Amino acid sequence: QVQLVESGGGLVQAGGSTTLSCAASGLPFGTSNMGWFRQAPGKEREFVSGIDWSSRNTYVIDSVKGRFTISRDNGKNTVYLRMNSLKAEDTAVYYCAADRSFPSHALARTVNAYEYWGQGTQVTVSS
């Protein structure tokens, strides 16, 4: 059974930082491309950042570029999203997801491309 468990969310002041973690089990994490998505109230789920299975390729969307960094530790089956300089508009439920398109290094950016999802973790940025 595949499980993706996010942690690290919570209430953060504007300008502050936090790191989200996503621990994976039940899938070959070392050959899975991973993504972070977020969904704000009343909005569609949007792709935020992705990292390929080898960490060779990473991507973040323009609105978080320079503030968010994705990384992974294949030895710990965990992917991270470091979020700095948080803004009120970053408030959302953040989800990690796994894409089984190995050996591709290409990073999918659509919800439908990802096969497995975590339950999400709320990040609330107070201004």
Side-chain angles (χ1 to χ4, degrees):
Q1 180 182 358
V2 175
Q3 281 195 312
L4 301 176
V5 181
E6 301 98 335
S7 60
L11 180 63
V12 185
Q13 284 193 332
S17 300
T18 193
T19 298
L20 304 184
S21 301
C22 172
S25 61
L27 83 163
F29 182 80
T31 55
S32 297
N33 295 341
M34 300 298 295
W36 284 99
F37 288 74
R38 66 185 179 186
Q39 188 165 19
K43 295 189 176 181
E44 292 186 353
R45 192 170 298 189
E46 69 166 345
F47 175 79
V48 176
S49 184
I51 186 168
D52 79 316
W53 54 271
S54 70
S55 298
R56 189 178 85 177
N57 191 17
T58 63
Y59 182 85
V60 293
I61 59 175
D62 286 344
S63 60
V64 306
K65 195 167 292 183
R67 300 189 296 120
F68 290 12
T69 303
I70 191 171
S71 61
R72 66 189 295 160
D73 185 335
N74 286 352
K76 295 182 178 179
N77 285 3
T78 301
V79 61
Y80 306 95
L81 186 67
R82 175 64 178 177
M83 304 190 295
N84 296 326
S85 302
L86 283 161
K87 305 176 181 180
E89 52 262 43
D90 295 319
T91 295
V93 178
Y94 283 73
Y95 299 88
C96 73
D99 167 20
R100 294 293 299 140
S101 60
F102 177 85
S104 173
H105 294 276
L107 297 175
R109 305 176 194 177
T110 60
V111 169
N112 290 341
Y114 288 80
E115 296 178 48
Y116 304 106
W117 291 83
Q119 82 289 348
T121 185
Q122 176 72 47
V123 174
T124 302
V125 182
S126 63
S127 55

